[in-house]
């Protein structure tokens, strides 16, 4: 009989897919004879392609050839050919519900994620808010595996093995890190206003870090026209700043660089999760969102989270809803010196 073959489905944003990595890696280690295929969008290949010998990756190009019902049917035909023995829907949205329905009709063993949507609405409610820690995405993913008969101890450390990241790929573009150097990553942007620290506050953080640590290097992570314009202004003022997008090619190289950072400063965004995948400590900024929703980075300390004790927080799970107060005090009232202190507590240790 062939070894069991598990399909794991997760589309969505980069941060959500990145949070799946510790779970898949732990699963692969716990069940080395289990074949695992992850179906996700093309960017996720860098996460899973070399994760473990028994893990493989399949692309779903949902905005191109795999678009709409016709595209989903094409995906299903490709999946059928793999002869899976079980299917884990880690997303539970219309696309995955449709694929799940096809698998159920054909009598596959299928389980899907519980996102605790009701509890998240209560957490973010303007009135009668229930402020409490909800299950993390990691535990939600692991629960699906348990339903399928694969209880898993989450023991993940880094996507790179004990030999470390292939640093030779970066030397020409970034240079080498000498002993005693302090490399600081800063990812100051996010998808929604409710998750972005005001730019002038981030600039104050950069100014103070460089003043206190003149030999440090600061790596600016992000893309897009607005971000690159802002990065160029900071680079012009401070030669210690490096714009990562001008030197590295793709997510794989960015992960290698992140593994060499002493600390990453990130909003509640994908870069928090990317740094977590390479065991780099993160000082994270939380405005409209809150770690209680279950999206803190893997193995990150809540003591390194910067957040204000406002009664209205959180007002949004993902940061996309309008501010209840109208003034975004959750971000505008954060003191840059608080952020600097947390960063220097890490780089000085």
């Amino acid at each position: 009989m062939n070894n069991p073959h598990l399909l794991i489905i997760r589309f969505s944003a980069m941060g959500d897919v990145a949070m799946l990595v510790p779970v898949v890696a732990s699963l692969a280690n716990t069940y080395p004879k289990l074949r695992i295929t992850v179906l996700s969008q093309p960017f996720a290949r860098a996460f899973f392609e070399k994760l473990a010998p028994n893990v493989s990756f399949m692309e779903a190009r949902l905005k191109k050839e795999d678009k709409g019902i016709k595209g989903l049917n094409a995906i299903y035909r490709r999946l059928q050919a793999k002869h899976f023995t079980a299917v884990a829907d880690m997303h539970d949205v219309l696309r995955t519900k449709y694929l799940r329905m096809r698998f159920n009709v054909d009598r596959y063993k299928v389980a899907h994620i519980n996102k605790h949507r009701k509890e998240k609405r209560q957490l973010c409610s303007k009135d009668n808010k229930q402020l409490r820690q909800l299950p993390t995405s990691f535990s939600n993913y692991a629960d699906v595996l348990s339903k399928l008969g694969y209880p898993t101890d989450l023991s993940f450390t880094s996507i790179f093995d004990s030999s470390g990241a292939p640093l030779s790929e970066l030397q020409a573009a970034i240079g080498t890190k000498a002993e005693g150097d302090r490399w600081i990553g800063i990812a100051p942007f996010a998808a929604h206003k409710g998750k972005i620290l005001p730019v002038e506050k981030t600039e104050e953080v950069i100014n103070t870090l460089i003043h206190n640590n003149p030999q440090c290097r600061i790596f600016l992570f992000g893309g897009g026209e607005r971000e690159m314009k802002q990065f160029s202004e900071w680079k012009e003022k401070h030669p210690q700043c490096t714009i990562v997008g001008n030197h590295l090619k793709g997510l794989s190289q960015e992960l290698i660089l992140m593994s060499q950072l002493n600390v990453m400063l990130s909003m509640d965004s994908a870069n928090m999760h990317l740094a977590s995948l390479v065991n780099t400590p993160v000082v994270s900024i939380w405005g409209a969102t809150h770690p209680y929703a279950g999206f803190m980075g893997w193995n990150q300390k809540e003591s390194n989270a910067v957040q204000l004790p406002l009664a209205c927080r959180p007002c949004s799970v993902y940061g996309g809803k309008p501010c209840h107060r109208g003034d975004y005090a959750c971000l505008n009232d954060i003191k840059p010196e608080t952020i600097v202190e947390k960063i220097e507590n890490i780089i000085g240790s």
Side-chain angles (χ1 to χ4, degrees):
M1 181 178 177
N2 292 332
N3 288 335
H5 192 178
L6 173 64
L7 171 65
I8 296 177
I9 306 173
R10 177 75 217 210
F11 303 138
S12 191
M14 184 177 293
D16 295 309
V17 179
M19 294 182 82
L20 182 61
V21 173
V23 181
V24 173
S26 300
L27 173 71
N29 182 60
T30 305
Y31 303 95
K33 293 185 178 180
L34 173 66
R35 297 167 59 203
I36 304 163
T37 296
V38 177
L39 175 69
S40 188
Q41 298 189 74
F43 69 77
R45 183 175 293 278
F47 297 148
F48 298 102
E49 192 169 40
K50 299 177 182 178
L51 190 62
N54 53 331
V55 175
S56 59
F57 180 77
M58 284 183 67
E59 291 184 358
R61 297 181 177 272
L62 301 174
K63 296 182 180 179
K64 296 182 178 180
E65 57 263 34
D66 294 327
K67 185 177 180 180
I69 291 294
K70 183 178 179 181
L72 290 175
N73 286 331
I75 290 174
Y76 183 71
R77 288 192 293 272
R78 295 202 302 271
L79 295 175
Q80 270 190 315
K82 298 288 185 179
H83 303 293
F84 295 105
T85 53
V87 179
D89 175 6
M90 301 295 199
H91 201 170
D92 192 35
V93 293
L94 285 175
R95 286 190 181 102
T96 62
K97 286 178 180 178
Y98 179 80
L99 292 173
R100 209 165 77 212
M101 178 271 293
R102 295 292 308 267
F103 279 115
N104 276 319
V105 168
D106 288 339
R107 299 178 180 275
Y108 285 80
K109 187 176 183 179
V110 180
H112 67 276
I113 191 171
N114 177 2
K115 292 185 175 181
H116 303 279
R117 291 184 173 98
K118 178 182 177 181
E119 291 86 346
K120 288 175 181 174
R121 287 194 297 269
Q122 293 170 339
L123 178 68
C124 299
S125 175
K126 188 174 182 180
D127 303 307
N128 302 316
K129 183 184 295 294
Q130 297 185 20
L131 188 64
R132 59 191 177 92
Q133 179 67 60
L134 301 183
T136 67
S137 291
F138 309 109
S139 63
N140 290 339
Y141 290 149
D143 286 346
V144 180
L145 300 178
S146 293
K147 292 176 188 175
L148 293 172
Y150 299 107
T152 301
D153 178 26
L154 302 183
S155 55
F156 174 81
T157 301
S158 171
I159 60 171
F160 299 117
D161 60 25
S162 57
S163 63
L167 299 179
S168 58
E169 290 188 27
L170 303 187
Q171 289 177 359
I174 297 295
T176 57
K177 181 181 181 184
E179 186 175 351
D181 285 352
R182 293 292 181 264
W183 284 14
I184 302 168
I186 297 182
F189 296 100
H192 302 292
K193 181 178 179 180
K195 298 204 289 188
I196 303 174
L197 189 71
V199 169
E200 60 272 15
K201 290 182 179 287
T202 301
E203 183 165 1
E204 189 174 339
V205 170
I206 292 173
N207 292 340
T208 305
L209 285 172
I210 291 175
H211 177 268
N212 294 350
N213 308 273
Q215 300 304 314
C216 74
R217 287 189 69 180
I218 292 179
F219 294 90
L220 302 171
F221 290 82
E225 185 176 347
R226 174 194 172 197
E227 288 90 337
M228 297 303 281
K229 181 180 179 182
Q230 184 62 66
F231 290 169
S232 296
E233 291 179 12
W234 290 338
K235 170 68 176 174
E236 192 171 339
K237 294 177 184 178
H238 302 293
Q240 294 95 331
C241 290
T242 298
I243 303 172
V244 173
N246 288 347
H247 298 274
L248 300 187
K249 298 178 181 179
L251 182 56
S252 295
Q253 289 195 343
E254 288 194 16
L255 288 166
I256 296 171
L257 173 58
M258 286 184 188
S259 74
Q260 297 304 297
L261 300 177
N262 294 88
V263 63
M264 168 72 88
L265 170 63
S266 175
M267 308 302 106
D268 169 24
S269 66
N271 283 292
M272 170 179 62
H273 298 295
L274 300 184
S276 301
L277 297 186
V278 294
N279 201 28
T280 292
V282 178
V283 173
S284 52
I285 309 295
W286 301 78
T289 60
H290 197 291
Y292 279 4
F295 298 110
M296 176 65 83
W298 174 255
N299 271 351
Q300 296 298 333
K301 298 178 179 179
E302 193 166 336
S303 60
N304 289 332
V306 179
Q307 52 185 331
L308 299 179
L310 299 176
C312 56
R313 291 189 57 245
C315 62
S316 175
V317 175
Y318 301 109
K321 294 183 178 180
C323 174
H324 288 167
R325 295 167 46 122
D327 61 358
Y328 288 95
C330 58
L331 293 162
N332 289 322
D333 290 354
I334 288 176
K335 296 180 179 180
E337 53 263 36
T338 301
I339 301 171
V340 171
E341 181 182 1
K342 289 184 181 293
I343 291 173
E344 292 188 337
N345 282 341
I346 294 172
I347 66 175
S349 62

